Amino acid sequence: MKITSIHQFAFACSAGSGVTNSLFYVQKLLRELGFESHIFSSSIPPDLSDVIQPASAISDDPDAILMVHHCLGYDDVDWLFALAMRKIMIYHNITPPELLPEGSELQQYALLGREQLHAWQPHFFAAIGDSPLNSSELQAHAYPSVR
C-alpha cells in the first residue's frame, strides 16, 4: 500500500486556538512532504470555512490515513470509527476535570474525553503526544507506536 493522502480531523475548530493552529502546521508539513492533506471538522466557524472541510466530506479511502486530534470529549463518534481508513491519535491533553467548574458542560466533556481516550485505543494504529506528558498518558492507555 502506497500512502499518498494523510488527512486530519478535529471535532471543533476555531481561529487562533492552539489545536487549530497545529492542524494548519501539520498540513503544511504533510504537503511539503508530498502528501495530499485536507482538514475536516464537525464544527467550522465561518472565518475558516474556506480552509476546513465538513466532516461529511471525508472520503473513506482505505489507502489514506486520518490523523484524529483529541483534546476534549465528543458526541457522535460512531461514524468516525466506521471509516475504513487507518487512524493516528494526536493527543493535545485534556484539562483535569477537577480543575473545571463543578457540574459544568466543560467538566462533563473533559470527563467524557478522558473516558474516550481509553476506549478509543483499539481504533488507532499509532499515536502522537504533543508533549512528553501527553505521550506518557497515551502509553498508559496502551496506545501503539507512541511518538
Side-chain angles (χ1 to χ4, degrees):
M1 165 174 52
K2 179 171 171 57
I3 298 167
T4 58
S5 301
I6 302 176
H7 303 299
Q8 299 179 85
F9 173 75
F11 282 91
C13 294
S14 60
S17 81
V19 172
T20 302
N21 286 343
S22 74
L23 291 164
F24 293 131
Y25 181 71
V26 170
Q27 181 184 51
K28 178 182 179 289
L29 294 176
L30 290 169
R31 287 178 173 175
E32 286 175 359
L33 291 169
F35 293 100
E36 177 184 355
S37 182
H38 299 289
I39 298 170
F40 301 93
S41 182
S42 295
S43 177
I44 307 166
D47 56 337
L48 295 178
S49 63
D50 59 333
V51 290
I52 298 176
Q53 298 180 36
S56 59
I58 295 175
S59 176
D60 190 13
D61 178 359
D63 293 330
I65 291 175
L66 184 63
M67 302 174 97
V68 178
H69 293 255
H70 187 56
C71 62
L72 206 55
Y74 306 110
D75 298 316
D76 186 32
V77 296
D78 293 340
W79 67 270
L80 178 65
F81 298 123
L83 295 172
M85 55 198 331
R86 295 172 33 150
K87 296 165 195 70
I88 297 173
M89 164 68 74
I90 310 294
Y91 184 51
H92 297 272
N93 203 302
I94 298 170
T95 300
E98 61 273 11
L99 299 179
L100 299 168
E102 186 68 34
S104 67
E105 185 177 50
L106 189 56
Q107 186 184 50
Q108 292 170 357
Y109 278 106
L111 288 165
L112 178 60
R114 291 200 171 272
E115 291 170 13
Q116 290 171 332
L117 183 66
H118 176 72
W120 291 357
Q121 180 272 338
H123 298 284
F124 294 89
F125 79 94
I128 299 171
D130 66 358
S131 72
L133 175 67
N134 295 347
S135 293
S136 68
E137 193 170 346
L138 289 166
Q139 291 165 336
H141 288 288
Y143 275 79
S145 303
V146 175
R147 299 291 181 261

